[in-house]
Structure formats: structure tokens, C-alpha cells
Amino acid sequence: MTWLADTRTSYDTVAGGYADLVRDSLSGQPYLRAALALFADLVHAAGGGPVADVGCGPGHVTAHLQALGVDAFGVDLSPAMIDIARRDHPGLRFEVGSMTDLPLPDTSVAALLAFWSLIHVPDEAIPAVLGHFHRVLRPGGPLLIGFHVGDRTQLKTEGYGGHPMHVHVHRRRPEQLADRLRDAGFVVTGQLLLDLDQPSPGAVLIAHR
């Protein structure tokens, strides 16, 4: 899949600059911190267990969840991102892997997070990705997805320090992604809209297997 190879190469190229940009980003995003705190509460209420941060990048959200008492580990397509995550968070587990073929056993995780990591996945690949999420989650386990809101796809050719990239950024409507989740066997239980008056609004959906 060309888009997958392009995404891996692009994030290998920009890994250092991206990590510098996002390392402390949650400190200025109270609504996202609240969403992650709610997610942590749902994990605890479900009895706890391992939680997969899929598309974890440099591991800053994985580490935030760990600080909330969640047994979080990270999976990312980019080996360079995983190298940085392991360097910055040496006490946590990180591994290279693709959400299109998630290297986790069936019903092996208590919860799963995809924090702005579906944005490069084309529409035709979304059902398979959500199928893997459903497969690896325990029954009743929570899923949190954060994403850009919109109706368009944009080609990103440069980013994070001016390095070249070649990734498509897919913006989606919450109701569209919620329907995809239901088709994959999830029950959608919550929605949070963010930055509605900004050029790039976001959304968080919470669902359960």
C-alpha cells in the first residue's frame, strides 16, 4: 500500500521535529486532557489491563495515560518515532506496527486509543482498521478516537521543521466516523467537539466493543 509506505517514510523523516512540537502540547489543551482523564476512568471502571495507544508517535500521550494510572503501551508505524518514544520514556513499552495489521492477539487489550492517528488512513482502509481495533479489544472495552473534523482531504508535502512529507490528511465528520464504528460492531457512547471556531476543528469519539 503506497499510502502506508509514504506515511512511514514521512514520519521517519520528521520524527525529531514532530516530537519537539508535541512533547508538552497537552499542557495547553484542557479539553483533551479531560477526554483522556475520562478515558482513564473508563479503563479503571472496566477493571484495568493493558491499553494500546495505536499511532503513538513519540509517546507523549502514552506517557500521559501512564501518569493517570493506565497500563499504556504504544504502537506506531514509524521506527524513528518508536526510537524517540523509547528514548524519552524508557520505562514504557513501545513497538513498531501498523494499524492495518495490528500485531496484537485477539481480546488482548482492555482499551484502545487512536489519537489523531486515523487521519492518514484512506476511507477504503477504515473498515479493516476498525475491524482490528474490535478484534484486539476485550468485550466492553472502551475505544477513544481523536481526529480532524471536515469534508476534505489535503496533501501535506512539508512539516515539522520544513522537512518533506507526502501524506494525505483526511478530515471526517463525527457522524460519518460514528457510523463506521457501528458497522465495525462498536457502540458509540460519547462525542466531544473541539475548536469549533478555528480553521482546524477536532473531535473525540468514545465507543465500546
Side-chain angles (χ1 to χ4, degrees), residues 11-205:
Y11 278 96
D12 278 347
T13 301
V14 305
Y18 182 83
D20 291 342
L21 179 68
V22 304
R23 185 169 286 113
D24 299 314
S25 59
L26 284 173
S27 64
Q29 297 176 305
Y31 295 110
L32 289 184
R33 293 200 311 274
L36 292 171
L38 171 60
F39 180 68
D41 285 347
L42 293 172
V43 173
H44 297 316
V51 175
D53 179 5
V54 179
C56 65
H60 62 297
V61 177
T62 320
H64 185 82
L65 287 174
Q66 189 79 21
L68 294 174
V70 172
D71 182 18
F73 67 95
V75 179
D76 199 89
L77 180 66
S78 162
M81 285 289 191
I82 291 298
D83 286 344
I84 291 173
R86 289 171 175 166
R87 180 200 70 193
D88 288 355
H89 311 288
L92 301 185
R93 169 187 160 200
F94 295 98
E95 57 190 62
V96 177
S98 172
M99 64 179 68
T100 60
D101 189 18
L102 202 54
L104 298 171
D106 295 358
T107 63
S108 62
V109 297
L112 191 147
L113 177 84
F115 212 59
W116 275 263
S117 56
L118 289 178
I119 62 173
H120 302 307
V121 180
D123 286 345
E124 63 269 19
I126 289 290
V129 168
L130 295 183
H132 278 292
F133 290 178
H134 190 273
R135 175 183 63 79
V136 304
L137 266 172
R138 295 174 185 169
L143 166 69
L144 186 150
I145 298 178
F147 56 100
H148 295 308
V149 172
D151 295 304
R152 62 190 177 92
T153 295
Q154 179 181 359
L155 177 63
K156 186 177 182 69
T157 58
E158 181 182 300
Y160 315 114
H163 297 288
M165 301 184 74
H166 191 275
V167 292
H168 287 89
V169 179
H170 303 281
R171 302 176 186 275
R172 296 182 168 100
R173 293 289 173 185
E175 59 272 19
Q176 295 169 334
L177 192 50
D179 284 342
R180 293 293 191 108
L181 285 165
R182 295 183 185 102
D183 290 344
F186 289 96
V187 176
V188 181
T189 54
Q191 173 181 296
L192 174 65
L193 301 178
L194 306 162
D195 300 322
L196 295 181
D197 292 334
Q198 300 301 315
S200 183
V204 169
L205 288 177

